[in-house]
Amino acid sequence: MDRETRHAQLAETYLPDDLLERFRQRAAVYDRENRFFDDDLAELRERGYLRLFVPPSHGGPGLSLNEVSRLQRRLATAAPATALAVNMHLMCTGVVAAMVARGDRSLEYVFDEVNAGEIFAFGVSEPGNDWVLQGSNTVAVPQDDGGYLLSGVKIFTSLSPVWTRLIVHGLDSTGEPQLVYGFIERDAAGITVSDRWDVLGMRASQSRATILTDVRMRPDRVARRIAPGRVPDLLTFAITSLFQLLIGSVYSGIAERALELGAAALTTRRSAKADARYAEVPEFRARLADALMDYMAVPAQLDLYTREFDELVDHGAGWPLRLVSARLNASTAARRACETALMCASGAGFDNTHELSRLFRDATAGLFHPPSADAARPMYAAALLDDD
Ligand SMILES: Cc1cc2nc3c(=O)[nH]c(=O)nc-3n(C[C@H](O)[C@H](O)[C@H](O)COP(=O)(O)OP(=O)(O)OC[C@H]3O[C@@H](n4cnc5c(N)ncnc54)[C@H](O)[C@@H]3O)c2cc1C
C-alpha cells in the first residue's frame, strides 16, 4: 500500500470527518468556557488514539512518528488545544518507541501502563529555566532506596486535570551534580495543581502549573541520571525530536485550517467597488497565494524529518538544526496564515465567536515553546560560521 493511501486509512480509522466536525464545534465551547476537553478525550481514548505508539509486541498499532504527525496535523485543524495537550501523552509514548527502535528497552513498562489506561504528561518547563532539558531548578534529593524526593515548580503542564503519570526532571546536587529524569505518579503525596489558568489561547489544554513538594519518584521509575549541560543522551534526544516534530505538527494543522477559512471567506464575500467576489480581486488572491507558498514548506519539512527519524537516519549534530527549524517554521506559518485569513474574512473574523479568532489566539501559543527563535539563532549561526 502506498504511503498516502495508508495515511488516508489511518485518518478514517482514528479521526473521521464527523468526529473532527464534533471536535471543532466543541473547541469553541471549551475555549469560551475555559474548560478541559473531557468529551474529546473520551472519544479519542475510545478510538485507541492514546495507544497509537504502542507497538504490536504490546498489543498496539505501532504507528510511526510520520503517521502520528499526520494525524496530529489533522486533529489540530479541528481542535488545536486538544491536539497540543494530547501531544504530551503521545510524546511520552513515542519517546519510548524511539528508544526501543534504537536498542534501549528500559522504559517499555510505559506501554503496559498506557494499555492499563494511564495518561502521561510532560512536566519539564520551569520558571526561569532556559536550559530546559539540560538543567533544572527542581531539587531532587536522593533516597536510600535509589529513588528521589522532588521539590519545585513545573509550569504549563498540559492535561493537568487528567494526567496520571508525569515525566519530570530535577537536579541532584548532593555530590557531582546530576540531572535526574523519571516518572512521578498522580497519587503521590506533595503534588498541587495551580488554580490559575486564564490565558489567551489553547485554553482547553488546561496547562496549569504543577507544584511539587517532596514528591516521591520511585527507584524503578528513575529513567536517567545525566550530567547537566550539553551531554548527548538517547532519552533527551528522543524527547527533543518528538517534542519539536509533534508540536510543529499541531501548528501546521492550524495553518492549514486558517488558509481553508481564508479561502472560504474570499469566495463568499463580495466587493461592491470591484463588483465581484473577493476571490477575484487580485490583491486578495496574491495575499492568500503568498500564505500558501509560506505554508507548503512546513508539511514538507515535517514529513521528511519524521520519516528520517523513523528510518533511524543519523544526522548527528545536524538533527537539532532540522528539528527546531521545522517547529519554528510551523508556528510562524500558523501565525501568518491566521493573520492572512483574518484579513480575508475581514471584520467578521474579529468576532470572538468566529473560528478564525480562536485559531489566531491558539496560534500565538507557538511563540512560547522552547527554544524561541532568539534562543535558537546561535545554533544556526554556529553551524555556518564556527569550525568545531
Ligand atoms: C499552551 C502551552 C502548553 C504547554 N504545555 C507544556 C507541557 O505540557 N509541558 C511542559 O513542560 N511545557 C509546556 N509548555 C511550556 C512551554 O513549552 C515553555 O517552556 C514555556 O512557555 C516557557 O515559559 P517562560 O520561560 O516564558 O515562562 P515564565 O515567563 O517564567 O512563566 C510563564 C507563566 O508560568 C506561570 N508561572 C511562572 N512562575 C510560576 C511559579 N513560581 N508558580 C506558579 N506558576 C508560575 C505563570 O502563569 C507565568 O505567567 C506549554 C506552553 C504553552 C504556551
Side-chain angles (χ1 to χ4, degrees), residues 84-85 88 91 121-130 132 153-159 166-167 194 196-197 199 201-203 205 207 209-211 243 247 251 364-366 368-370:
L84 183 75
M88 303 303 167
M91 190 179 66
F122 187 64
V124 165
S125 299
E126 298 170 343
N129 174 21
D130 53 4
V132 194
V153 176
K154 302 290 182 179
I155 53 172
F156 286 106
T157 314
S158 301
L159 299 168
L166 187 66
I167 187 166
S194 167
R196 272 193 51 74
W197 180 254
V199 294
M202 297 289 191
R203 288 159 67 83
S205 69
S207 312
T210 312
I211 298 100
F243 180 83
I247 296 278
Y251 290 91
T364 57
F368 306 111
H369 305 296

Side-chain angles (χ1 to χ4, degrees), residues 249-312:
S249 305
V250 171
Y251 290 91
S252 177
I254 296 179
E256 184 186 329
R257 176 64 179 164
L259 293 177
E260 238 174 67
L261 291 173
L266 291 191
T267 53
T268 49
R269 288 179 58 224
R270 276 193 79 77
S271 161
K273 265 204 300 196
D275 190 23
R277 293 177 314 150
Y278 274 97
E280 291 154 50
V281 176
E283 291 80 2
F284 281 88
R285 294 182 73 84
R287 183 170 288 137
L288 205 57
D290 286 347
L292 179 58
M293 276 194 277
D294 273 356
Y295 161 72
M296 285 191 72
V298 169
Q301 256 191 318
L302 290 169
D303 266 335
L304 176 63
Y305 300 159
T306 50
R307 280 211 306 272
E308 290 186 337
F309 187 79
D310 289 332
E311 290 161 10
L312 311 187

Side-chain angles (χ1 to χ4, degrees), residues 87-143:
N87 232 358
M88 303 303 167
H89 170 91
L90 293 174
M91 190 179 66
C92 291
T93 51
V95 161
V96 179
M99 289 172 66
V100 170
R102 287 159 180 78
D104 182 338
R105 312 182 80 88
S106 59
L107 301 182
E108 267 188 333
Y109 62 82
V110 165
F111 296 139
D112 299 324
E113 297 206 331
V114 169
N115 286 340
E118 306 297 350
I119 296 183
F120 283 75
F122 187 64
V124 165
S125 299
E126 298 170 343
N129 174 21
D130 53 4
W131 281 102
V132 194
L133 289 168
Q134 296 166 343
S136 176
N137 298 328
T138 297
V139 176
V141 179
Q143 303 298 293

Side-chain angles (χ1 to χ4, degrees), residues 3-16 49 52 61 63-64 66-68 70-71 74:
R3 194 177 286 125
E4 291 308 315
T5 310
R6 163 102 174 138
H7 285 313
Q9 281 187 357
L10 291 172
E12 186 50 39
T13 304
Y14 290 106
L15 300 171
Y49 203 81
L52 294 180
L63 264 54
S64 66
N66 179 247
E67 291 165 343
V68 175
R70 282 288 190 101
L71 288 173
R74 182 169 162 81

